[in-house]
Amino acid sequence: MRALAINDISCVGKCSLTVALPVLSACGATVDILPTALLSTHTGGFTGYTFLPLDDEMRKICDHWETLGLKYDVICSGYLGSRAQVEFVRETKRRFLKEGGLFVVDPVLGDNFAFYKGFDESFAAEMLSLCAEADYILPNDTESFLLTGKRDPSEALAELAKVCPHPIITGADTDRGYELFYYDGGERRLPLCKVEGSFHGAGDVFAACFAGCVGRGMDLKSALALTVEFCYRSILRTAREVPDKKYGMNYEKELSIVTEAFKE
Ligand code: PXL
């Protein structure tokens, strides 16, 4: 299975491509990468970081790939630095996704009910139009709100289901506790164990594992079960082992859960 991960390279802080590569590889995928930007660190919690957008290079890379005839079983996109990049990802999907391949979009916009630095309402609208081309979208509770204007996860899910067949809200507080919401012909929920605190990069770990699972042919329910298990164990380990959470998740020693599931 050949996967293309479109995301930034944050050199420090374990997120985006530095997570997508190992996690998708653990699923048994051959992973190619299309970097959207090069940063010294991610933007969540660090100051003074460098940021080099790679728009021109992305176009040249894709033009070269076209001469190689590359096609992907799964394309997953994450952090995009501008509206032009969102448009470029849409084009990349059309050029490089195999007939019947899967497009997984993590609409990276924000957390804790605020936009990440550099994003605003017009960027969210552009991201929503990319979601409309996806088979699966993986917003967190903040992103589902920023995309739909609905704080209630059931209402947000119903709105997102109008544009994408399988929206997945990766975690939201409800009167029943902490739950994952997904749409599979109707609303479904999965109870989650909430670990107190904020875990930077958790969304990227989730997205990479999920994209690998569905790319390898797992059904939606099994893909979510494995992804939730992998993320939960990684979060527990991070809570124990990482004093400064902006340095990202300690997921590496939990990768065996994933490799075990994809031994064949
Ligand atoms: O983890 C999401 C993410 C990815 N890439 C960059 C980010 C963030 C979140 O802060 O800043 C550059």
Side-chain angles (χ1 to χ4, degrees):
M1 188 267 281
R2 193 171 197 107
L4 173 61
I6 308 175
N7 219 324
D8 71 86
I9 300 176
S10 290
C11 299
V12 168
K14 290 199 276 189
C15 65
S16 32
L17 281 183
T18 66
V19 165
L21 252 171
V23 175
L24 279 160
S25 299
C27 296
T30 294
V31 196
D32 294 339
I33 59 167
L34 182 59
T36 59
L38 178 65
L39 298 89
S40 52
T41 65
H42 61 71
T43 67
F46 292 96
T47 52
Y49 51 82
T50 67
F51 183 94
L52 176 69
L54 295 174
D55 297 54
D56 293 347
E57 212 55 32
M58 287 169 76
R59 187 162 293 283
K60 287 192 255 172
I61 289 168
C62 287
D63 288 347
H64 178 223
W65 287 352
E66 200 128 60
T67 69
L68 303 176
L70 292 172
K71 289 281 178 193
Y72 294 94
D73 301 291
V74 60
I75 297 182
C76 49
S77 79
Y79 184 95
L80 304 174
S82 64
R83 295 176 65 180
Q85 284 197 354
V86 177
E87 179 54 38
F88 189 74
V89 170
R90 204 192 326 270
E91 186 187 319
T92 304
K93 178 218 164 185
R94 297 209 178 113
R95 286 166 80 183
F96 294 104
L97 189 63
K98 255 186 205 162
E99 181 88 32
L102 295 173
F103 185 39
V104 180
V105 172
D106 181 8
V108 177
L109 292 170
D111 211 349
N112 301 314
F113 288 90
F115 281 109
Y116 290 131
K117 290 186 191 97
F119 296 155
D120 60 14
E121 301 294 342
S122 75
F123 185 72
E126 192 74 28
M127 194 57 104
L128 186 63
S129 71
L130 187 65
C131 291
E133 305 233 354
D135 298 285
Y136 301 95
I137 58 171
L138 309 167
N140 60 26
D141 55 348
T142 299
E143 289 154 350
S144 66
F145 165 65
L146 296 171
L147 288 168
T148 65
K150 309 276 186 201
R151 269 203 183 242
D152 177 81
S154 281
E155 287 178 28
L157 191 80
E159 284 301 306
L160 293 171
K162 291 178 188 165
V163 301
C164 166
H166 298 298
I168 296 155
I169 301 175
T170 54
D173 284 312
T174 70
D175 49 3
R176 297 189 222 165
Y178 193 58
E179 293 177 297
L180 176 149
F181 285 67
Y182 68 104
Y183 192 92
D184 194 15
E187 179 187 300
R188 314 261 185 270
R189 296 186 189 196
L190 271 183
L192 300 176
C193 297
K194 190 166 187 174
V195 181
E196 272 322 305
S198 172
F199 294 88
H200 200 280
D204 299 0
V205 173
F206 187 102
C209 186
F210 179 80
C213 288
V214 291
R216 289 295 310 271
M218 259 191 194
D219 62 66
L220 175 55
K221 209 172 162 193
S222 311
L224 284 173
L226 181 62
T227 303
V228 164
E229 172 74 6
F230 173 52
C231 286
Y232 178 58
R233 293 225 218 155
S234 301
I235 285 172
L236 283 182
R237 182 181 278 280
T238 305
R240 286 196 307 272
E241 296 180 351
V242 182
D244 188 348
K245 304 292 183 278
K246 70 174 178 293
Y247 283 92
M249 299 257 287
N250 273 7
Y251 66 87
E252 299 87 342
K253 294 198 183 85
E254 305 297 345
L255 277 173
S256 56
I257 305 165
V258 181
T259 48
E260 268 301 301
F262 291 109
K263 264 197 309 228
E264 296 316 316

